[in-house]
Amino acid sequence: MSKEDILNGSVQYIKAVGPKRAEAFNKVGIKTIKDLLFYFPVRHIDRTNILSASKAYDYVLNGYDGELTIIGKVIKKDHRRFGKREILKVHFRDESGFFECVWFQSAKYFINVFNEGNIFAVSGKPTTSKYGNLQFAHPDFDRITEDESKSFLNTGKIIPIYRIPKELRSKNIGDFSLRKIINNAVENYAEQLEENLPDYIASDNNLPDIKESVINYHFPLSKEKLAEAKRRFKFEELFYLEILVALRKKQYKSKLTGHSLSIKTHLVKDFLKTLPFELTKAQLKVLSEIKNDMMSDVPMNRLLQGDVGSGKTIVALIAMLIAVDNGFQAAIMAPTEVLADQHAKNISNYMKKLKELTHREIKVSLLIGGQKKSLRNKNLEDIELKEADIIVGTHALFEEKVRFSNLGLIVIDEQHRFGVAQRGKLQAKGITPDVIVMSATPIPRTLTMTVYGDLDLSIIDEMPSNRKPVKTILRGEDKLPDILKFIKDKSKEGYQSFIVYPLVEESELLELKDALSYYEMLRSTYLKNLRVGLVHGRMSWQEKEEAMLLFRKKQFDVLIATTVIEVGIDIPDANIILINDANRFGLSQLHQLRGRVGRGNKQAFCILVTKEEIAKRSEKENKELEFMSSSEIEKQKAAIRLQSMVKYNDGFKIAEIDLKLRGPGDIFGLRQSGFPEFKYADIITDSKLILQAKQEAFKIIDEDPELKLPDNQSIKKILTKNYSDNLRYSGIA
Ligand code: ADP
Ligand code: MG
């Protein structure tokens, strides 16, 4: 039998498992011996502090309340019954003194475990009994025999603590027995594990081999060994992820040929003349990066990052015009119909002005799900016949029916809403068109590097100069009348306001404010005499469009809304946003909402309204996050989020705090956005290791893009075995 076959054998071969327990293991996904070897503990407890009984007694008298271990001999057992309750007390001694252990449960079982004269190591948090004796209640223990080294499993060492699913518990597998089972597996089978990393990678990066790492991850000889073992598995995980990213990038750059464009006419120059503003330095910088890519015959694959309101759309539009100028179609895809519609209208307006100047017509076509069939068919025809130059749409653009006649550029707006797979699908529609993905979500650099490592990065790190930072204010609900009066007063100066509610309709379950009831209420009370509109997610797309349009045309002073306005909506005269129940929104969501205002040159306001306690607490507890314990953070998350909004306008800072508050597993709904989930690595704390793994991986793929070198055969083998699904776009499989 090969080593692989042995490791793939059933867990049933492990001592102390048996068929019933094996079934339970299977249920929780632990089928093979190998699965068991990689069922790593969630944490460890350090029980290396072995003391004599008298020393331990000193510790306790001096108020020590941690774990410690004593080794002693059983001298007497005391089994008592009080009605239905039974208590077992076992008395021990060592050379220095006495101690005792008590069990209030399963006394009948433990009475047979502790026989007089036997030696045990006992670990736990000791106290003093009411008679002043050193006492452990329900301690962990090991029987110590002549051969000591083998006997320490639950005490005396750094002890693994495993998560024990209820399926295992119900088969009487607890901490002791699982530790024993895994110890059996490690002792007998870790030897069979085959190395997953090329030797030179392991030694260059000071990583222990796989056998040693598995052993030390479970039963570490020291804290250092444990740390090394963890580091090794993190590295391995990151390394293969980066190999895949590097392969994808290489494939895109070297295997596929793109269109090599040039500046044909004055189109772009003329377009710039029609703009009512100058582009910022940052916009010009990213434009030149984009232009260079488009001029080269290597297809562009670029991530355009910029905070909300930094002016990404205009940059994308200029890129689209370059494509159009070269006889290609350009498409822009937005995550919602409302946003697609807004893009289409904006772009059409820009194109009208351009036509006035140049007499050249650039045709814009909109493709979204909710359109009338006849209009849709006409648009589809336009696209196919190249009647349309710029196509705006939602994911409707992915559909089979859409046949571009000559797609040269795809722009994907608000990328975090789209997965990698969707990206691939749209790319497949053109002959390797250039791609720009735009994101306002300020993804921390480490994440960008890992997941978007196949994309080149352009950052707009500057706001248009006419902007004043939005003033963010946090208020208790008791202040609402004043705030509404403020909105009313400001409307006389031409300010438009959003008022956001977390719910569409009143809910019996949630005590949150809803847009519908407040729309009715505010119109007849506080906002009487103002023109008030309503937009929410349950409206049909035409109704939403109508509401947004009227607001944009200044037919409304106030727009009552749910989070449908969250992404991308651009209304230059909207300068106040009031967010109700603000504690219920996530941090990046709040930042996106705030981004809806402050797009013109007037001072804008973002007013966060929440329960008075929360508003007050955050004023008081103005501590830096670094100095708070995790339990403190947990309790005050809502207040911290709101306070951070008041303090910071910068999206990157907000994202960083968001990451700290939410923890890596949960950033911006990672799963839906196509981010990988790590088993070992932590996107925040392991950023150095991520960089290291990335450098190694990219170097390898740079030097050996098809993994042909003998040294790299193990990489190729692992990829085809474990990552076959991901190899589709890699050029390896
Ligand atoms: P985002 O990057 O969030 O998508 P938009 O592209 O919607 O931002 O731009 C926000 C607003 O700023 C728009 O109204 C746009 O016309 C305007 N804008 C873009 N660039 C500039 C600039 N250089 N100077 C002034 N206003 C600009
Ligand atoms: Mg945008």
Side-chain angles (χ1 to χ4, degrees):
M1 252 202 300
S2 75
K3 290 179 170 184
E4 194 65 30
D5 292 339
I6 295 172
L7 289 171
N8 284 329
S10 157
V11 279
Q12 211 177 312
Y13 299 128
I14 306 283
K15 238 192 298 175
V17 175
K20 283 239 171 69
R21 284 179 160 186
E23 211 175 285
F25 274 115
N26 280 337
K27 268 191 210 151
V28 297
I30 305 171
K31 300 197 166 132
T32 64
I33 294 172
K34 193 168 176 185
D35 293 338
L36 200 56
L37 288 177
F38 284 91
Y39 191 73
F40 288 134
V42 285
R43 64 192 174 94
H44 287 82
I45 316 182
D46 186 354
R47 287 179 172 163
T48 51
N49 194 9
I50 305 178
L51 299 176
S52 68
S54 69
K55 193 87 198 159
Y57 200 61
D58 279 353
Y59 265 59
V60 175
L61 288 185
N62 283 300
Y64 175 81
D65 75 340
E67 292 230 353
L68 45 83
T69 302
I70 311 179
I71 301 174
K73 187 188 270 186
V74 179
I75 49 178
K76 199 172 75 168
K77 289 189 278 191
D78 194 359
H79 185 200
R80 287 192 204 169
R81 220 165 292 217
F82 302 93
K84 276 193 183 159
R85 281 182 59 201
E86 289 181 66
I87 295 185
L88 172 68
K89 194 182 276 181
V90 181
H91 301 264
F92 292 84
R93 69 164 302 157
D94 73 358
E95 277 157 15
S96 72
F98 300 89
F99 62 97
E100 58 192 40
C101 298
V102 286
W103 280 270
F104 304 101
Q105 265 139 36
S106 313
K108 268 207 201 73
Y109 169 78
F110 288 108
I111 196 166
N112 295 316
V113 173
F114 295 94
N115 292 316
E116 277 151 42
N118 285 348
I119 295 174
F120 286 87
V122 171
S123 281
K125 268 190 191 181
T127 52
T128 49
S129 74
K130 64 180 171 191
Y131 305 109
N133 298 332
L134 183 63
Q135 189 180 75
F136 293 88
H138 287 250
D140 281 359
F141 57 86
D142 286 309
R143 170 133 184 245
I144 307 291
T145 52
E146 303 286 274
D147 174 13
E148 262 192 30
S149 64
K150 267 209 152 175
S151 320
F152 282 120
L153 185 60
N154 303 304
T155 66
K157 295 201 296 195
I158 299 171
I159 303 301
I161 308 289
Y162 298 93
R163 197 177 61 81
I164 304 181
K166 60 180 188 311
E167 290 85 350
L168 298 187
R169 281 214 188 273
S170 71
K171 292 287 172 288
N172 270 327
I173 299 177
D175 292 326
F176 275 38
S177 32
L178 186 57
R179 226 171 267 149
K180 195 160 168 189
I181 288 167
I182 291 183
N183 190 49
N184 286 340
V186 169
E187 286 200 335
N188 296 311
Y189 295 99
E191 203 43 46
Q192 311 292 333
L193 286 166
E194 280 187 70
E195 189 47 66
N196 274 342
L197 286 170
D199 289 344
Y200 73 98
I201 291 290
S203 66
D204 286 357
N205 293 282
N206 289 324
L207 303 169
D209 71 27
I210 193 164
K211 294 168 196 172
E212 195 189 329
S213 302
V214 165
I215 295 170
N216 276 307
Y217 208 138
H218 290 287
F219 304 102
L221 289 175
S222 66
K223 282 184 185 155
E224 292 72 32
K225 292 274 180 206
L226 175 61
E228 279 176 20
K230 288 185 175 172
R231 187 167 161 272
R232 183 225 139 87
F233 288 112
K234 287 176 180 183
F235 185 94
E236 184 185 319
E237 178 172 52
L238 294 165
F239 174 76
Y240 283 105
L241 172 76
E242 291 305 328
I243 286 277
L244 288 170
V245 170
L247 281 170
R248 233 186 289 144
K249 180 162 188 171
K250 194 90 191 171
Q251 165 81 350
Y252 211 85
K253 290 261 134 109
S254 67
K255 299 271 173 52
L256 307 171
T257 13
H259 316 287
S260 147
L261 310 187
S262 59
I263 299 297
K264 298 266 191 260
T265 69
H266 288 294
L267 189 67
V268 169
K269 237 188 191 162
D270 289 338
F271 175 69
L272 292 178
K273 280 189 212 149
T274 67
L275 286 182
F277 48 72
E278 301 263 302
L279 294 181
T280 62
K281 266 203 217 96
Q283 283 171 319
L284 290 170
K285 181 196 68 189
V286 301
L287 254 177
S288 84
E289 289 163 355
I290 289 170
K291 206 172 98 190
N292 284 343
D293 277 5
M294 293 181 84
M295 304 287 129
S296 118
D297 62 358
V298 174
M300 168 165 65
N301 208 14
R302 192 168 275 282
L303 175 63
L304 174 56
Q305 236 182 34
D307 208 348
V308 280
S310 62
K312 295 183 290 293
T313 317
I314 211 78
V315 171
L317 181 53
I318 292 169
M320 291 195 273
L321 286 177
I322 295 176
V324 171
D325 193 25
N326 281 266
F328 289 102
Q329 290 177 315
I332 177 166
M333 181 171 66
T336 65
E337 290 175 343
V338 175
L339 195 53
D341 178 55
Q342 173 187 291
H343 280 325
K345 287 205 170 69
N346 270 343
I347 294 173
S348 301
N349 284 336
Y350 279 128
M351 293 306 108
K352 251 181 233 146
K353 275 191 216 144
L354 184 63
K355 193 181 165 194
E356 283 163 21
L357 188 73
T358 62
H359 305 291
R360 178 164 167 191
E361 188 175 4
I362 311 257
K363 281 181 229 122
V364 181
S365 177
L366 176 69
L367 207 64
I368 52 180
Q371 277 169 329
K372 278 212 190 80
K373 216 170 171 176
S374 52
L375 177 62
R376 198 176 150 73
N377 285 340
K378 161 143 193 342
N379 288 348
L380 281 171
E381 217 177 276
D382 283 354
I383 294 168
E384 194 169 345
L385 298 177
K386 210 183 167 302
E387 287 295 312
D389 301 302
I390 292 179
I391 298 109
V392 185
T394 53
H395 24 274
L397 289 178
F398 291 137
E399 284 166 22
E400 300 284 313
K401 282 191 213 119
V402 185
R403 281 188 293 270
F404 295 98
S405 92
N406 196 5
L407 186 60
L409 171 70
I410 302 171
V411 178
I412 300 174
D413 194 14
E414 304 296 344
Q415 153 72 6
H416 62 288
R417 298 280 172 111
F418 290 99
V420 176
Q422 282 169 303
R423 241 203 282 158
K425 222 167 160 183
L426 193 50
Q427 276 162 226
K429 283 194 174 283
I431 319 151
T432 343
D434 288 323
V435 175
I436 299 174
V437 296
M438 303 201 288
S439 176
T441 311
I443 308 158
R445 247 178 192 288
T446 42
L447 255 187
T448 313
M449 271 174 357
T450 51
V451 188
Y452 296 132
D454 58 330
L455 306 187
D456 297 306
L457 184 59
S458 286
I459 301 181
I460 305 185
D461 53 5
E462 175 190 10
M463 288 287 178
S465 58
N466 60 351
R467 299 288 160 76
K468 294 197 186 80
V470 178
K471 264 200 189 119
T472 304
I473 300 160
L474 178 58
R475 289 288 180 266
E477 278 167 356
D478 53 334
K479 295 288 187 319
L480 265 173
D482 298 343
I483 299 166
L484 291 166
K485 181 166 181 302
F486 175 73
I487 286 177
K488 200 167 167 174
D489 290 346
K490 279 285 180 187
S491 76
K492 289 179 199 135
E493 297 172 29
Y495 273 60
Q496 289 180 286
S497 306
F498 292 106
I499 302 184
V500 181
Y501 292 95
L503 298 182
V504 178
E505 242 174 317
E506 200 176 346
S507 150
E508 286 186 7
L509 295 173
L510 299 165
E511 272 185 51
L512 294 176
K513 302 207 169 87
D514 67 282
L516 280 172
S517 346
Y518 277 86
Y519 172 66
E520 294 302 335
M521 191 276 264
L522 291 175
R523 275 200 314 171
S524 55
T525 56
Y526 292 100
L527 303 182
K528 216 154 85 184
N529 306 329
L530 293 196
R531 296 160 306 166
V532 182
L534 174 70
V535 64
H536 60 71
R538 296 237 193 97
M539 288 177 162
S540 77
W541 116 259
Q542 282 89 348
E543 288 169 318
K544 280 188 252 177
E545 182 202 17
E546 175 78 11
M548 297 307 305
L549 195 71
L550 289 174
F551 191 50
R552 176 184 297 275
K553 284 192 178 156
K554 301 201 95 173
Q555 304 284 313
F556 294 135
D557 304 300
V558 173
L559 188 64
I560 308 263
T562 58
T563 53
V564 290
I565 61 154
E566 176 191 334
V567 171
I569 294 299
D570 180 41
I571 307 224
D573 280 319
N575 273 312
I576 301 174
I577 184 163
L578 159 58
I579 304 173
N580 288 284
D581 290 317
N583 56 306
R584 295 298 299 230
F585 295 91
L587 197 44
S588 53
Q589 207 175 15
L590 288 173
H591 183 65
Q592 272 284 351
L593 284 169
R594 175 167 61 186
R596 296 316 112 220
V597 298
R599 298 177 155 249
N601 38 23
K602 280 186 195 147
Q603 177 62 56
F605 300 89
C606 170
I607 308 165
L608 306 169
V609 172
T610 181
K611 299 198 173 47
E612 284 108 81
E613 317 88 87
I614 301 178
K616 272 195 210 100
R617 183 170 49 198
S618 33
E619 276 164 37
K620 216 169 49 197
E621 308 266 332
N622 208 348
K623 252 202 255 179
E624 288 290 333
L625 214 49
E626 277 83 0
F627 304 119
M628 296 178 72
S629 71
S630 50
S631 64
E632 239 179 313
I633 290 178
E634 194 54 44
K635 258 189 268 161
Q636 309 208 19
K637 270 183 179 171
I640 296 172
R641 280 201 298 268
L642 299 176
Q643 196 57 45
S644 306
M645 284 290 293
V646 173
K647 254 179 154 167
Y648 303 108
N649 256 311
D650 172 16
F652 278 91
K653 187 73 196 171
I654 295 280
E656 204 180 279
I657 295 168
D658 197 27
L659 205 59
K660 278 193 194 141
L661 290 181
R662 295 219 225 175
D666 191 27
I667 330 163
F668 341 113
L670 278 190
R671 208 172 312 194
Q672 9 161 334
S673 50
F675 285 98
E677 271 178 89
F678 293 122
K679 183 171 172 202
Y680 302 109
D682 179 317
I683 208 89
I684 308 172
T685 54
D686 294 324
S687 54
K688 256 198 196 143
L689 203 61
I690 292 174
L691 200 78
Q692 199 176 329
K694 171 169 177 154
Q695 277 163 358
E696 287 289 3
F698 273 68
K699 202 170 95 202
I700 289 173
I701 298 305
D702 237 23
E703 288 165 4
D704 184 16
E706 281 164 39
L707 297 175
K708 287 189 165 145
L709 296 177
D711 266 358
N712 292 331
Q713 288 320 294
S714 57
I715 300 179
K716 194 167 176 176
K717 203 171 126 196
I718 303 284
L719 284 180
T720 26
K721 200 171 98 197
N722 298 345
Y723 298 90
S724 53
D725 287 354
N726 299 299
L727 286 177
R728 237 176 305 148
Y729 306 110
S730 74
I732 283 288

